[in-house]
Amino acid sequence: MTLSLVFIVAALLDYFIGDPWGWPHPVQVMGCLISRLTKFFIQVCHNSLTQRIAGIFLGLILIIGSGCVGWLIIETAKWFHPLWAIVVESILLASCFALKSLRTAAYRVLEPLTAGDLESARNILSNYVGRDTQKLSEPEILRAVLETVTENATDGVMAPLFYAILGACLPGVGLIPLALAYKASSTLDSMVGYRQAPYTYLGWFSAKLEDYLTWLPCRLTVITLGLLSGKPRYVWRMCCRDGVKDPSPNSGWSECAYAAILGVQMGGTNWYGGVPKQKPLLGDAMHPITPKSIQTALLLTRYSFLFWLGIVIALLFVLVNR
């Protein structure tokens, strides 16, 4: 019952509070360590081989280290008091979820956009996406928001929940270590997992490992979305048709599942530093992307999250009462 309570409290904390501005966050600590270690390795490693080796060390140090630190924090909290351990575990688990953060980011862009303030919407959007936003039209801003919301639904919401559940199933591990380890992998990928210099060789390991760690949660999320939409075969077929075209083995599938359900099309030409980059088209453009499309996508992510949460709590209840 303790595990069920932690899951419920963590979900409520993320839904109502999210990541309070100015409060310390595990990802901030991870980001600081990644930044410092990256600078150090770039300074001391001057060829592709040494940078690849350094990339392996960087990934393993952050991922294994985050999991071990998380385990140590929970064990220390248990030593003080079991109730204190529940509080700490709930807060740490909530910090691994980004459902409220995604919702907040989307609405921050949508509010000025729906009010006709295109310039403010572009400026706010630039905080959340890597593409150039200065000249984006309203449909392109909406597409960028929807792509961000649907891509991050897997690695920001569903995958951390998956690894928390997996950790709960493993004796002596618990909810936090694997969830934090995955969060470290995701943060590494977002910071150094690029093909461009200076991360070409240093970030290869982190990028590949994040792809592998996200692969199964992503497919399970696609299946869940298909079931919730009532058209699982159609969603899977569309992902097999279009999702595989994306260079990423996961983001294309995640975005395509939502595109299939919403009847919209994502992908197309994005500009990065003034250079155009063609992204594969995902889904069929049966409807235009609207603010309602984004709101529905956020609801689908929430329902998927609650679906998984409900299943694991039910299973824990059955196991306790056997």
Side-chain angles (χ1 to χ4, degrees):
M1 293 304 294
T2 299
L3 291 176
S4 298
L5 181 61
V6 172
F7 271 121
I8 293 170
V9 172
L12 291 172
L13 286 174
D14 178 62
Y15 181 78
F16 288 107
I17 300 175
D19 300 326
W21 182 260
W23 284 38
H25 194 283
V27 172
Q28 293 176 332
V29 179
M30 294 173 190
C32 182
L33 289 171
I34 292 168
S35 180
R36 293 190 178 189
L37 286 172
T38 299
K39 289 178 181 177
F40 171 75
F41 285 134
I42 289 175
Q43 288 176 351
V44 300
C45 302
H46 303 291
N47 59 65
S48 61
L49 178 60
T50 55
Q51 286 187 4
R52 284 181 181 274
I53 295 172
I56 295 173
F57 278 106
L58 175 65
L60 293 179
I61 289 170
L62 261 295
I63 294 169
I64 297 175
S66 296
C68 290
V69 169
W71 181 86
L72 186 60
I73 289 172
I74 300 304
E75 291 302 310
T76 304
K78 288 178 181 177
W79 183 77
F80 279 103
H81 196 280
L83 186 60
W84 179 240
I86 293 174
V87 172
V88 173
E89 199 166 12
S90 300
I91 293 173
L92 282 177
L93 185 58
S95 74
C96 294
F97 304 143
L99 192 54
K100 183 176 177 61
S101 298
L102 281 178
R103 187 169 68 250
T104 301
Y107 280 104
R108 282 196 66 203
V109 179
L110 290 179
E111 284 177 6
L113 186 64
T114 53
D117 189 353
L118 211 60
E119 192 60 36
S120 293
R122 289 168 180 157
N123 291 333
I124 295 170
L125 179 63
S126 66
N127 296 318
Y128 303 111
V129 299
R131 72 191 72 180
D132 300 341
T133 63
Q134 299 88 345
K135 299 179 181 179
L136 291 183
S137 63
E138 181 176 340
E140 285 298 300
I141 292 173
L142 289 169
R143 176 169 72 87
V145 174
L146 185 60
E147 287 174 354
T148 300
V149 164
T150 56
E151 177 183 353
N152 288 285
T154 296
D155 56 18
V157 180
M158 301 305 292
L161 177 59
F162 170 84
Y163 281 103
I165 294 171
L166 181 61
C169 296
L170 298 176
V173 177
L175 306 177
I176 301 304
L178 293 188
L180 278 181
Y182 177 80
K183 206 69 179 177
S185 174
S186 180
T187 306
L188 277 162
D189 181 57
S190 66
M191 291 183 67
V192 301
Y194 301 101
R195 295 181 180 179
Q196 295 82 11
Y199 307 116
T200 307
Y201 304 109
L202 188 64
W204 74 275
F205 178 79
S206 297
K208 284 292 184 183
L209 183 59
E210 200 272 345
D211 285 343
Y212 290 130
L213 292 176
T214 308
W215 192 91
L216 181 56
C218 179
R219 270 66 187 173
L220 292 175
T221 300
V222 168
I223 293 170
T224 304
L225 289 168
L227 291 172
L228 292 175
S229 70
K231 40 188 177 183
R233 290 185 180 180
Y234 174 71
V235 171
W236 187 263
R237 187 168 67 249
M238 291 294 287
C239 287
C240 291
R241 189 193 78 177
D242 295 343
V244 294
K245 300 174 185 175
D246 196 283
S248 167
N250 301 308
S251 62
W253 277 68
S254 185
E255 291 177 34
C256 190
Y258 286 90
I261 295 168
L262 298 171
V264 301
Q265 189 173 74
M266 288 185 265
T269 303
N270 297 336
W271 293 76
Y272 299 89
V275 179
K277 183 177 181 180
Q278 188 67 31
K279 301 285 285 185
L281 297 175
L282 307 172
D284 294 327
M286 294 182 284
H287 309 289
I289 298 174
T290 64
K292 181 66 175 178
S293 306
I294 296 165
Q295 293 164 4
T296 303
L298 289 167
L299 279 175
L300 282 167
T301 304
R302 185 191 303 173
Y303 294 154
S304 298
F305 180 86
L306 292 174
F307 181 78
W308 285 19
L309 201 62
I311 288 176
V312 72
I313 290 173
L315 288 173
L316 289 170
F317 181 79
V318 169
L319 290 173
V320 169
N321 290 277
R322 286 182 60 179

